[in-house]
Amino acid sequence: MFKQSTTNNQLDFFGSFDFNLDEQRIKILNDQNSWFNQFFEYVTKQLDENHFSVLYHHHMGRSNAPIRILLAMMALKAGFGWSDAQLYEQVHFNLQVMKALGFVKLSDKAPVPSTYYLFKRAVYQYQIDHGRDLIKEAFKKLTKEQLEIMGVDGSKIRMDSKLIGSNIVRCSRLQLIISCLQEFWKSLSKEAKSKLTETDRFQLNMLCKKKSHSIVYPLSEEEKSQQLIELGHLLYRLQQSYDDSDSTKYFLVQRLLDEQYQFDQEKITLKPAKEILASSIQSAHDPDAAFRRKDTQTVTGYSINMTETCNDTGLNLVTDVQVEPATKADKDYVQTALDNTVEISGSIDEAYMDGAYQSSDNREYGETNDIKLYYTGISGAKGTFEFKKTRTGLEITNRKTGETVDASEYKDNHYKIRLSSGKWRYFKPDEIDCYKRRQAIESLPKEIKNRRNNVEATIFQLCFHTRNNKTRYRGQFQNRVWALTRAIWMNLVRIKKHVTSVNKPSEVALG
């Protein structure tokens, strides 16, 4: 039966840190302002294990180790940017890390690696089967506790997003198809492989003998094109011979056929490159990743949206983290981010974000929920025309020529003017409203415009341990776990700085 673990470890006097260390090191280990003691107090101790009871049988099942320690280990790994091997080295031999986990004696042992990995696998499988993100739930509950303990005001928030690459190598179209075929073929049982003809089995076995780039590199462009068509027919035969019950990788076959090929009277041809969607599969090793080009940046991976409180003074904490394929638009994060933050911090009065988050749905949501949405800009260039309401109608000025004319209203809130060329120029309500919103943004006080800026430092801290704008993870689940546990660490660092500053003795001026 699942039971929440206790945070009060039984003390063995002769095995305790205090008994085995000298006075100076004991003093350091017992410093309540140290990061490891703060981590135990505000992370390990506060983590709620009850969310994870669903992973275990209600009569007999339970975790081999306290779940709070497993979660705390994940947060330490993300916080320091460790690999799994480095994490376990630190957990076994670093007294500060042991203290962070709540260990009080030298004989306290961390969960064995198999328990750590099986726990992560169980959380992943539960999300697939039930659609619940248990790590996200644990983050929200922990952050809610921290907000209440520290008295953080959540009525003002800000958000920003970041495109970040998955730990995959960009590949050509042919490399992608070969690598997906390799993954699918290797996933099949010997019995399942026997469904195919000897010729197809031979071709697939030959493909699996080399890495995809080694197969593609020596081919001419004509040979590559021929190979792409041949593999399209092979994919079709695989689709007809198998289904989801044969392999968890069957979806790779289906997606490749849907996204890369087209059918015309039983003839299989390649789709033109311009028709391939950015959301199409980018790697056999990370089918969740998507491609996106934003300004001068190109990314194959994910978009991460961070939301945090933005009080002018005192402590601010990250309240929401969302990780989606890179094609996710910023404007589609807003309502979920606000809902998640309200759930843990109470009502929101003001939210600050850049122009990419603007949409009519979000503005309506803000009005409905009495949340003032402040944007620092509007996507797109300034229009050529300026608009001014008058007693008689609408006055329109051409910013390039300086010419001002009275517009004619040809139907409700729709206007037109005759240009110098003699042609009519029509103006819809959206264009006029956009100008008004831009004017309102430009007239905002500087202190309001600047209130969003510090969230960019949060994005920087999130990605501090990444290299070449890539995480070390593949898959949406793994990248989401990394971002959430990294946010737990970031909040801890902020809490430590705040607590240290509050506890710092005030300086007395000498007269």
Side-chain angles (χ1 to χ4, degrees), residues 42-54:
Y42 295 108
V43 178
T44 309
K45 194 174 176 180
Q46 302 299 330
L47 283 165
D48 186 357
E49 299 175 323
N50 287 322
H51 295 292
F52 300 89
S53 63
V54 294

Side-chain angles (χ1 to χ4, degrees), residues 415-473:
Y415 295 86
K416 65 178 181 179
I417 61 172
R418 190 181 292 276
L419 302 176
S420 56
S421 62
K423 296 181 178 180
W424 287 100
R425 169 67 158 86
Y426 296 88
F427 300 92
K428 295 181 179 179
D430 285 349
E431 186 175 355
I432 300 170
D433 290 342
C434 182
Y435 172 79
K436 291 178 181 177
R437 290 195 302 273
R438 191 183 296 276
Q439 289 294 101
I441 290 169
E442 290 176 354
S443 64
L444 285 174
K446 190 175 181 180
E447 58 268 21
I448 290 181
K449 289 183 181 179
N450 292 342
R451 196 163 283 160
R452 188 202 70 90
N453 294 349
N454 281 354
V455 73
E456 295 176 2
T458 300
I459 296 293
F460 174 81
Q461 287 300 322
L462 172 73
C463 303
F464 184 77
H465 291 296
T466 60
R467 295 293 178 266
N468 299 319
N469 197 42
K470 281 187 175 184
T471 71
R472 62 177 65 184
Y473 304 102

Side-chain angles (χ1 to χ4, degrees), residues 99 141 146 158 188 220 234 311 338 380 392 398 415 433 470:
K99 286 275 284 184
K141 183 67 182 299
Q146 292 171 339
R158 58 192 170 208
L188 291 174
S220 66
L234 176 59
N311 299 300
L338 295 175
T392 56
N398 188 317
Y415 295 86
D433 290 342
K470 281 187 175 184

Side-chain angles (χ1 to χ4, degrees), residues 387-390 392-396 405-408 415 417 427 432 436:
F387 307 92
K388 182 181 179 182
K389 280 283 187 181
T390 64
T392 56
L394 184 69
E395 192 176 83
I396 298 179
V405 296
D406 291 324
S408 303
Y415 295 86
I417 61 172
F427 300 92
I432 300 170
K436 291 178 181 177

Side-chain angles (χ1 to χ4, degrees), residues 18-144:
D18 288 1
F19 183 80
N20 289 278
L21 297 175
D22 59 71
E23 186 177 346
Q24 183 178 0
R25 280 186 285 185
I26 292 172
K27 183 179 179 181
I28 293 172
L29 279 182
N30 292 333
D31 178 9
Q32 293 307 303
N33 285 330
S34 61
W35 75 264
F36 43 90
N37 285 321
Q38 294 282 316
F39 186 95
F40 174 71
E41 183 66 27
Y42 295 108
V43 178
T44 309
K45 194 174 176 180
Q46 302 299 330
L47 283 165
D48 186 357
E49 299 175 323
N50 287 322
H51 295 292
F52 300 89
S53 63
V54 294
L55 300 178
Y56 306 99
H57 192 277
H58 61 281
H59 287 307
M60 300 176 62
R62 65 174 184 175
S63 173
N64 291 335
I67 290 173
R68 69 175 72 252
I69 290 182
L70 295 169
L71 292 169
M73 287 171 62
M74 293 163 66
L76 287 169
K77 178 187 173 184
F80 287 101
W82 291 331
S83 64
D84 287 345
Q86 289 171 319
L87 170 65
Y88 267 90
E89 181 179 355
Q90 295 291 327
V91 166
H92 287 316
F93 302 108
N94 189 328
L95 294 181
Q96 294 182 341
V97 173
M98 294 171 72
K99 286 275 284 184
L101 296 176
F103 297 169
V104 295
K105 50 187 182 292
L106 294 174
S107 60
D108 286 337
K109 292 182 179 180
V112 296
S114 59
T115 298
Y116 179 74
Y117 295 128
L118 286 172
F119 171 70
K120 292 175 70 174
R121 186 183 302 173
V123 171
Y124 172 63
Q125 191 59 49
Y126 189 83
Q127 181 172 327
I128 291 176
D129 295 341
H130 302 278
R132 277 182 63 189
D133 187 344
L134 298 178
I135 303 293
K136 180 70 174 282
E137 290 179 18
F139 168 80
K140 289 167 70 173
K141 183 67 182 299
L142 173 64
T143 307
K144 183 176 183 178

Side-chain angles (χ1 to χ4, degrees), residues 6-23:
T6 178
T7 57
N8 298 317
N9 279 356
Q10 187 173 358
L11 190 61
D12 175 2
F13 178 74
F14 294 104
S16 68
F17 297 146
D18 288 1
F19 183 80
N20 289 278
L21 297 175
D22 59 71
E23 186 177 346

Side-chain angles (χ1 to χ4, degrees), residues 348-350 364-372:
I348 297 174
D349 297 328
E350 300 173 4
E364 183 179 342
Y365 174 91
E367 292 171 3
T368 302
N369 292 277
D370 200 23
I371 301 174
K372 183 67 176 178

